[in-house]
């Protein structure tokens, strides 16, 4: 039996009760006959002792005879060659299992997973679960296993591992193992790492300033003594190459380098005896800056005026074309604002688009989007993720009159349109192009689709665009076959369009071959006479480009050459927008002020064109056209300030504006607005130990209403981080980064729910935790848990159970009734 004797007050009270009972015994000794007195004392003693035992929470100790054995198997990369060995050991021992013995199998890498649920009936184990093998967390695996053990059985844990834990800490679980009476056995797996030299980390001082020489400390870990080369690159430029000698164990070297703002430092080692090249690179970042940084993206002909403007501002800028722009998140995060000038959507990498969204929304990077003929609807931005970032929609509002359009698509369906490139047929791209045109046209427009080869077929007879879905189905009837006769198709199109009651009449001619050589002068005259424009799309090198050019030029249309089948839908979309004259507005007008916001209201010079868009709800319209369309608009997208200019800045539409004496002043304010509040007074310090990063934030402010929150954007997903307060204006958070790749941590200071300042820190994990050299703690772990090593010939189920599971049964259910019966007996005797 077990007594809880921890409460001294219960002991004093119990002694008092017993003393009082003894005193009563002497008082009543001569009042009762001897037998009656003995019965009374006996009943009174039983009652009092029962209550005292209840008071002390008396329990009966029960020892279990049944045992549960759990096999905990390390399946991380460093143990992947031991699968068959582990299966053999487990299966050989299962044969000796008693019928009442219960077993289970749990595998682990970064996280534990149940391989075989608890069972008494099993003949063979095959390890099949796919664990996250890029890490070894023995602590988490054992913790999970302890919670999986049944409560009322003896616990035997068989751990298969090489002991190379690189996540968590095995030291923190040993007390829990002992407390849970677990019988620990370890089957050590051999890990032949070989000769290894690891570039562990590169450290910089906490407080560094631009232009100063600062010490860079390089930590190299090695299991051999050897010589090799160390290289240090700054923004991919080699700045240090040194021959270094390392001893077995930890090695440290220091180099001085000049500090440049927002730099990337990458270290690399090369040792001839090193047999593991996976852990030879380490990256760190210099996030210090004195000037705001701007990334300028666009063609040289479009960005000249912005370049000149930035050259007169106290900023650092980098320029590139969209094709050469890095879409890397860490690269984009190093800029405070990104300026894109007349960039077509088709040239934007999907990763770039996703990361721009992250930078603006989550990290507060500004965005200045400047228009031109390759932007908004004409540039293919409609219904894209990029459009969501902008304060305007690519589709204009429906509350104003627009000229209706009659459009005829003349599509070559000769036999050559059956040709395939990269698994896609020309004809399928032509169908997609026709569907894109249908989507763009409005309800009051009309369309006809004429297929031509050596015969003509109206796949879609000239009709209103109202039933778009049925028209799209009819497009599917386009099928290739026959020769190429262009002129009959054009004449058919003219006949249809001249009888169409639309303000705009336009044809798009797509062909991949050569038709008639002569007779086009008459066609051009006919088109002019009926005020029909015609644009041509020459598909491939074999098409009659010269003839098609004469057709387009002669009718004031446009000419395209599509060398890539995939560009056909984009060309048709852009041409449909241009033909409808609803989005490309080329006329002289004077912008009107709606809101001044961060600008001063002054007389704005006239512009000669812009791309039509629609203002979004929640956005601020600063300047509008004479037809109420946005010219300059802004809004806050997440944390970032975004500004859109729907005209150009290359001088085609904006010459008068560029020559205006207030141009530089106005655009300096626009650029400054996109930069937002970039100067943070927060002091941020990071300490990194392998994949664990400790972040300390000091706001320098007093107050109970401030909070520090963060957004961690990693290789695969983002995570919201909430910091713990550790003092006035001081906050702390420990973050574990297990995936290889680049991370951006955006830290936001909030007061009363509002973000008042923010900053970013960049971190990179260059190689898997499994490639790190770590201290093997199996010997210490075995000793501290009173465990033992086992080997292949060990009969696991015959191992003695030293720590038996102890259960405790409360005796209250017996003692309380006994006390009540004893008191009844006490009363009964005294009343006799």
């Amino acid at each position: 039996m077990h007594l809880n004797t921890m409460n001294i007050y219960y002991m004093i009270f119990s002694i008092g009760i017993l003393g009082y009972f003894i005193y009563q015994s002497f008082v009543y000794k001569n009042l009762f006959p001897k037998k009656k007195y003995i019965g009374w004392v006996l009943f009174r003693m039983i009652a009092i002792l029962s209550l005292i035992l209840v008071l002390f929470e008396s329990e009966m100790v029960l020892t279990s005879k049944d045992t549960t054995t759990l096999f905990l198997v390390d399946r991380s990369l460093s143990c992947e060659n031991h699968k068959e060995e582990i299966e053999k050991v487990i299966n050989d021992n299962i044969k000796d299992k008693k019928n009442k013995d219960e077993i289970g199998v749990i595998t682990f890498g970064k996280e534990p997973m149940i391989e075989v649920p608890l069972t008494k009936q099993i003949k063979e184990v095959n390890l099949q679960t796919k664990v996250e093998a890029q890490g070894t967390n023995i602590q988490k695996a054992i913790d999970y296993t302890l919670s999986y053990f049944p409560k009322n059985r003896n616990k035997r844990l068989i751990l298969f591992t090489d002991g190379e834990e690189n996540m968590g800490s095995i030291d923190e679980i040993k007390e829990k193992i002992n407390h849970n009476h677990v019988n620990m056995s370890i089957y050590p797996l051999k890990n032949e790492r070989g000769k290894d030299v690891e570039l562990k980390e590169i450290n910089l001082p906490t407080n560094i300033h631009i232009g100063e020489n600062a010490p860079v400390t390089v930590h190299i870990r090695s299991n051999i003594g050897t010589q090799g080369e160390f290289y240090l690159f700054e923004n991919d430029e080699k700045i240090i190459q040194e021959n270094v000698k390392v001893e077995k164990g930890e090695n440290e070297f220091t180099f001085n380098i000049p500090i440049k703002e927002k730099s990337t430092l990458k270290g690399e080692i090369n040792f001839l005896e090193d047999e593991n090249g996976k852990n030879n690179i380490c990256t760190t970042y210099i996030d210090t800056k004195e000037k705001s940084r701007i990334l300028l993206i666009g063609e040289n002909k479009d960005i000249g005026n912005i370049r000149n403007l930035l050259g007169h501002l106290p900023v650092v800028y980098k320029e590139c074309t969209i094709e050469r722009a890095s879409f890397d998140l860490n690269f984009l995060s190093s800029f405070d604002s990104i300026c894109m000038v007349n960039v077509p959507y088709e040239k934007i990498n999907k990763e770039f688009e996703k990361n721009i969204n992250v930078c603006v929304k989550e990290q507060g990077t500004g965005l200045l989007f400047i228009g031109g003929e390759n932007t908004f609807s004409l540039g293919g931005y409609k219904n894209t993720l990029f459009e969501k970032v902008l304060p305007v929609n690519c589709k204009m509002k429906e509350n104003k009159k627009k000229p209706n359009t009659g459009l005829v698509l003349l599509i070559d369906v000769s036999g050559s349109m059956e040709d395939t490139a990269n698994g896609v047929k020309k004809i399928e791209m032509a169908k997609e192009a026709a569907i894109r045109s249908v989507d763009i046209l409005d309800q009051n427009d009309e369309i006809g689709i004429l297929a031509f080869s050596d015969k003509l077929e109206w796949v879609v007879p000239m009709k209103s665009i109202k039933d778009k879905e049925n028209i799209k189905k009819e497009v599917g009837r386009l099928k290739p076959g026959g020769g190429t006769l262009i002129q009959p198709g054009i004449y058919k199109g003219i006949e249809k369009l001249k009888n169409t009651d639309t303000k705009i009449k336009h044809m798009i001619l797509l062909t991949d071959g050569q038709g008639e050589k002569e007779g086009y002068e008459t066609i051009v005259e006919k088109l002019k006479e009926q005020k029909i424009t015609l644009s041509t799309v020459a598909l491939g090198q074999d098409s009659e480009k010269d003839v098609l050019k004469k057709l387009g030029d002669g009718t004031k249309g446009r000419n395209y050459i599509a060398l890539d089948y995939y560009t056909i839908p984009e060309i048709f979309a852009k041409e449909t927008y241009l033909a409808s004259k609803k989005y490309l507005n080329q006329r002289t007008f004077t912008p009107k002020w709606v809101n001044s916001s961060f600008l001063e209201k002054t007389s704005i010079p006239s512009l000669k064109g812009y791309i039509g868009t629609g203002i979004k709800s929640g956005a601020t319209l600063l300047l509008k056209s004479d037809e109420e369309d946005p010219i300059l608009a802004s809004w806050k997208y997440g944390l970032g300030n975004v500004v859109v200019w729907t005209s150009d800045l290359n001088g085609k539409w904006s010459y008068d504006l560029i020559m205006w004496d207030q141009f530089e002043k106005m655009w300096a304010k626009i650029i400054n607005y996109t930069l937002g509040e970039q100067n943070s007074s927060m002091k941020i310090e990071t300490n990194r130990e392998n994949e664990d990063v400790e972040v300390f934030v000091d706001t320098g402010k007093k107050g109970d209403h401030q909070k520090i929150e963060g957004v961690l954007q990693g290789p695969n997903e983002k995570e919201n981080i909430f910091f713990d307060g550790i003092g006035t204006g001081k906050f702390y958070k420990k973050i574990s980064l297990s995936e290889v790749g680049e991370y951006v941590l955006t830290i936001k200071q909030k007061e009363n729910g509002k973000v008042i300042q923010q900053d970013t820190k960049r971190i990179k994990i260059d190689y898997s935790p499994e490639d790190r050299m770590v201290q093997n703690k199996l010997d210490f772990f075995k000793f501290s848990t009173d465990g033992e090593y086992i080997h292949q010939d060990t009969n696991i189920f015959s191992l003695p159970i030293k720590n038996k599971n102890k259960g405790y049964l409360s005796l209250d259910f017996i003692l309380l009734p006994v006390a009540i019966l004893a008191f009844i007996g006490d009363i009964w005797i005294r009343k006799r």
Side-chain angles (χ1 to χ4, degrees):
M1 190 168 70
H2 176 265
L3 295 179
N4 181 1
T5 59
M6 294 299 293
N7 198 321
I8 190 169
Y9 296 107
Y10 289 169
M11 294 183 68
I12 293 171
F13 178 73
S14 300
I15 291 171
I17 291 293
L18 283 172
Y20 178 73
F21 173 69
I22 292 170
Y23 168 75
Q24 286 280 310
S25 299
F26 283 109
V27 170
Y28 287 99
K29 184 175 182 181
N30 297 322
L31 297 178
F32 295 132
K34 185 176 181 180
K35 288 184 179 180
K36 188 174 181 179
Y37 174 74
I38 292 172
W40 174 77
V41 169
L42 185 63
F43 277 121
R44 181 64 64 93
M45 181 67 73
I46 291 171
I48 291 174
L49 287 176
S50 296
L51 289 175
I52 289 174
L53 289 173
V54 169
L55 199 62
F56 281 95
E57 300 177 1
S58 301
E59 297 171 320
M60 183 178 292
V61 180
L62 304 174
T63 303
S64 177
K65 295 182 180 179
D66 298 325
T67 301
T68 294
T69 301
L70 287 178
F71 297 96
L72 182 58
V73 181
D74 187 343
R75 295 293 311 280
S76 61
L77 287 179
S78 62
C79 297
E80 61 182 349
N81 295 328
H82 294 281
K83 178 176 179 290
E84 293 181 2
E85 176 188 352
I86 296 168
E87 288 176 341
K88 185 177 187 308
V89 171
I90 295 175
N91 290 326
D92 286 348
N93 277 276
I94 285 176
K95 299 173 185 175
D96 300 322
K97 184 183 79 66
K98 297 176 184 177
N99 290 335
K100 63 179 181 179
D101 285 337
E102 190 177 49
I103 74 162
V105 181
I106 296 173
T107 57
F108 71 94
K110 286 183 184 179
E111 301 285 340
M113 297 181 68
I114 295 175
E115 178 82 46
V116 178
L118 288 174
T119 180
K120 294 180 181 178
Q121 305 296 324
I122 189 170
K123 294 182 179 179
E124 186 178 57
V125 170
N126 293 304
L127 301 175
Q128 301 292 333
T129 52
K130 301 295 183 183
V131 301
E132 292 184 77
Q134 295 282 353
T136 305
N137 196 330
I138 301 176
Q139 175 197 348
K140 181 176 278 190
I142 292 179
D143 198 24
Y144 179 81
T145 304
L146 294 182
S147 67
Y148 192 61
F149 271 114
K151 288 184 178 179
N152 299 320
R153 297 174 67 92
N154 295 322
K155 304 175 181 71
R156 181 192 285 125
L157 176 58
I158 312 297
L159 173 63
F160 294 82
T161 184
D162 60 2
E164 295 205 356
E165 182 181 47
N166 45 54
M167 302 173 70
S169 176
I170 199 172
D171 296 338
E172 297 179 12
I173 200 70
K174 57 183 185 294
E175 293 298 331
K176 196 170 183 179
I177 291 173
N178 295 327
H179 179 74
N180 281 270
H181 306 290
V182 175
N183 296 268
M184 190 82 198
S185 296
I186 302 170
Y187 186 101
L189 303 173
K190 293 181 180 179
N191 183 1
E192 300 296 335
R193 176 172 284 275
K195 297 178 180 180
D196 195 0
V197 185
E198 174 192 348
L199 181 52
K200 182 182 175 184
E201 58 185 344
I202 298 174
N203 289 332
L204 286 158
T206 303
N207 296 314
I208 55 176
H209 302 282
I210 304 303
E212 72 175 358
N213 279 345
V216 176
T217 306
V218 179
H219 297 270
I220 298 177
R221 182 185 286 156
S222 179
N223 61 12
I224 56 171
T226 184
Q227 282 188 325
E229 296 288 331
F230 170 74
Y231 307 93
L232 185 65
F233 299 86
E234 184 176 43
N235 298 332
D236 296 326
E237 178 184 347
K238 185 164 63 177
I239 58 173
I240 290 176
Q241 178 176 348
E242 290 284 342
N243 185 274
V244 293
K245 182 179 180 180
V246 297
E247 304 294 336
K248 185 176 181 180
E250 301 289 339
N251 299 265
E252 186 177 294
F253 304 93
T254 301
F255 306 94
N256 286 315
I257 65 167
I259 299 300
K260 297 178 182 178
E261 62 180 15
K262 289 283 185 179
S263 296
T264 300
L265 294 180
K266 183 178 75 173
E268 190 170 344
I269 57 174
N270 182 17
F271 290 79
L272 290 177
E273 295 184 65
D274 186 7
E275 296 176 0
N276 177 21
K278 295 179 180 179
N279 56 15
N280 291 353
I281 292 177
C282 184
T283 305
T284 191
Y285 298 99
I286 299 174
D287 286 319
T288 301
K289 66 183 180 69
E290 291 181 353
K291 294 181 179 180
S292 296
R293 289 168 52 84
I294 297 174
L295 178 62
L296 178 58
I297 303 174
E299 297 294 333
N300 188 59
K301 61 183 175 63
D302 293 315
I303 66 174
N305 292 309
I306 290 291
R307 181 199 296 125
N308 293 337
L309 176 65
L310 294 175
H312 290 95
L313 298 178
V315 298
V316 175
Y317 72 93
K318 178 182 177 65
E319 63 177 78
C320 60
T321 61
I322 188 62
E323 294 90 345
R324 298 179 67 83
S326 171
F327 52 78
D328 175 77
L329 179 61
N330 260 309
F331 172 78
L332 295 174
S333 298
S334 69
F335 295 93
D336 302 306
S337 182
I338 297 170
C339 177
M340 298 179 63
V341 186
N342 198 24
V343 175
Y345 181 77
E346 64 184 33
K347 292 185 178 181
I348 293 178
N349 179 285
K350 291 294 182 185
E351 195 70 15
F352 177 90
E353 179 182 33
K354 184 185 83 171
N355 288 336
I356 283 285
N357 184 73
V358 170
C359 286
V360 177
K361 188 175 184 180
E362 306 290 350
Q363 298 169 15
T365 305
L367 177 65
L368 174 56
F369 192 83
I370 295 171
E373 291 186 3
N374 295 318
T375 56
F376 304 109
S377 291
L378 273 64
Y381 283 84
K382 186 179 177 183
N383 298 327
T384 64
L385 176 61
F386 212 110
E387 185 188 22
K388 292 183 179 179
V389 181
L390 305 179
V392 296
N393 288 310
C394 292
K395 185 176 177 60
M396 292 191 297
K397 289 191 174 180
E398 302 288 347
N399 60 355
K400 66 175 186 174
K401 288 186 177 181
K402 304 174 185 176
N404 61 341
T405 301
L407 178 65
V408 170
L409 304 181
L410 300 171
I411 297 179
D412 186 345
V413 291
S414 59
S416 58
M417 289 294 285
E418 184 76 16
D419 292 350
T420 300
N422 297 322
V424 178
K425 294 180 179 180
K426 293 180 186 178
I427 193 65
E428 294 304 320
M429 286 294 97
K431 291 177 185 177
E432 176 64 25
I435 289 171
R436 293 283 290 273
S437 293
V438 170
D439 281 332
I440 290 166
L441 293 174
D442 291 326
Q443 297 293 313
N444 61 340
D445 296 327
E446 295 185 26
I447 192 170
I449 302 176
L450 179 63
F452 70 90
S453 53
D454 48 16
K455 60 181 181 180
L456 304 175
E457 179 187 2
W458 282 101
V459 175
V460 176
M462 203 73 193
K463 63 169 67 174
S464 168
I465 203 75
K466 289 180 180 177
D467 192 355
K468 288 189 178 184
E469 293 307 312
N470 274 332
I471 293 174
K472 290 177 186 178
K473 289 178 183 177
E474 291 173 343
V475 170
R477 295 197 293 118
L478 286 168
K479 293 181 181 179
T484 305
L485 291 175
I486 296 174
Q487 293 182 9
I490 298 176
Y491 279 118
K492 278 282 187 184
I494 292 171
E495 286 299 312
K496 284 291 182 185
L497 281 174
K498 76 177 184 180
N499 297 318
T500 301
D501 186 20
T502 57
K503 297 288 185 184
I504 298 169
K505 300 179 181 183
H506 186 68
M507 291 185 195
I508 304 177
L509 168 63
L510 169 69
T511 181
D512 73 334
Q514 298 180 1
E516 307 88 328
K517 300 292 183 183
E518 298 179 354
Y520 291 97
E521 292 81 1
T522 306
I523 290 178
V524 169
E525 291 304 317
K526 275 266 188 187
L527 289 165
K528 286 181 179 180
E529 182 183 321
Q530 297 299 325
K531 296 182 180 178
I532 299 171
T533 54
L534 183 145
S535 293
T536 66
V537 182
L539 179 53
Q541 295 286 2
D542 297 334
S543 54
E544 191 64 79
K545 302 180 193 66
D546 292 338
V547 170
L548 295 177
K549 190 173 187 310
K550 289 177 182 177
L551 278 170
D553 292 347
T555 63
K556 295 185 179 179
R558 289 155 293 275
N559 301 290
Y560 304 88
I561 300 175
L563 299 177
D564 183 348
Y565 298 177
Y566 290 95
T567 63
I568 302 172
E570 295 295 334
I571 291 171
F572 266 56
K574 182 174 183 178
E575 180 57 28
T576 305
Y577 279 122
L578 290 171
S580 65
K581 296 182 180 179
K582 297 170 185 175
Y583 288 86
L584 178 59
N585 298 274
Q586 299 193 92
R587 66 180 189 285
T588 301
F589 70 96
T590 301
K592 301 175 184 177
W593 284 102
V594 180
N595 291 289
S596 57
S597 186
F598 52 87
L599 296 174
E600 295 178 9
K601 284 188 178 181
T602 56
S603 298
I604 304 294
S606 61
L607 299 171
K608 295 179 180 177
Y610 67 94
I611 304 296
T613 59
I615 193 73
K616 286 182 181 176
S617 174
T620 300
L621 179 60
L622 290 94
L623 290 171
K624 65 180 180 179
S625 73
D626 55 337
E627 292 192 356
E628 309 295 315
D629 296 323
I631 298 299
L632 182 65
S634 69
W635 76 346
K636 201 167 190 69
Y637 181 71
L639 297 175
N641 293 337
V642 184
V643 176
V644 157
W645 174 257
T646 62
S647 186
D648 68 14
L649 279 185
N650 60 20
K652 180 179 177 180
W653 299 333
S654 55
Y655 179 81
D656 292 340
L657 180 77
I658 294 165
M659 299 307 294
W660 180 41
D661 61 359
Q662 297 294 307
F663 172 77
E664 186 172 309
K665 181 180 178 182
M666 173 183 170
W667 280 90
K669 288 184 177 180
I670 291 172
I671 290 168
N672 283 332
Y673 174 77
T674 67
L675 293 172
E677 296 293 332
Q678 297 296 335
N679 294 321
S680 170
S681 61
M682 290 187 293
K683 293 179 181 178
I684 301 171
E685 182 180 341
T686 58
N687 294 328
R688 177 176 164 187
E689 178 62 32
N690 297 333
E691 287 72 43
D692 290 332
V693 179
E694 292 183 310
V695 185
F696 298 87
V697 179
D698 185 354
T699 66
K701 289 185 176 183
K702 296 181 180 180
D704 299 329
H705 301 292
Q706 57 180 322
K707 293 181 180 179
I708 297 293
E709 297 178 3
V711 176
L712 181 68
Q713 188 72 41
N716 298 317
E717 57 185 26
K718 72 175 183 180
E719 177 185 358
N720 292 318
I721 306 292
F722 300 94
F723 284 71
D724 300 317
I726 56 173
T728 303
K730 293 179 171 60
F731 300 83
Y732 167 82
K733 189 66 179 179
K734 185 176 182 179
I735 305 169
S736 292
L737 311 176
S738 56
E739 294 288 336
V740 174
E742 297 167 332
Y743 295 81
V744 178
L745 175 61
T746 303
I747 300 170
K748 298 174 284 187
Q749 180 187 354
K750 287 186 172 182
E751 284 190 4
N752 298 316
K754 182 181 178 182
V755 177
I756 60 172
Q757 60 177 337
Q758 63 190 49
D759 207 341
T760 60
K761 289 291 177 183
R762 298 176 291 162
I763 307 161
K764 186 172 183 182
I765 305 298
D766 290 278
Y767 46 87
S768 165
E770 289 295 291
D771 292 313
R772 291 195 178 279
M773 286 190 286
V774 294
Q775 181 182 358
N776 194 310
K777 298 180 180 178
L778 278 186
D779 288 339
F780 175 75
F781 182 66
K782 177 185 79 71
F783 173 77
S784 60
T785 58
D786 196 25
E788 60 182 321
Y789 284 132
I790 60 175
H791 49 79
Q792 202 162 17
D793 297 328
T794 302
N795 187 329
I796 292 171
F797 291 97
S798 66
L799 293 173
I801 301 297
K802 299 176 185 177
N803 300 315
K804 293 196 174 182
N805 184 68
K806 294 179 180 180
Y808 296 93
L809 179 65
S810 175
L811 296 178
D812 290 2
F813 76 100
I814 295 176
L815 294 172
L816 285 174
V818 167
I820 292 170
L821 290 173
F823 271 119
I824 293 172
D826 175 289
I827 295 169
W828 176 73
I829 282 182
R830 282 189 285 116
K831 294 221 173 181
R832 283 180 60 189

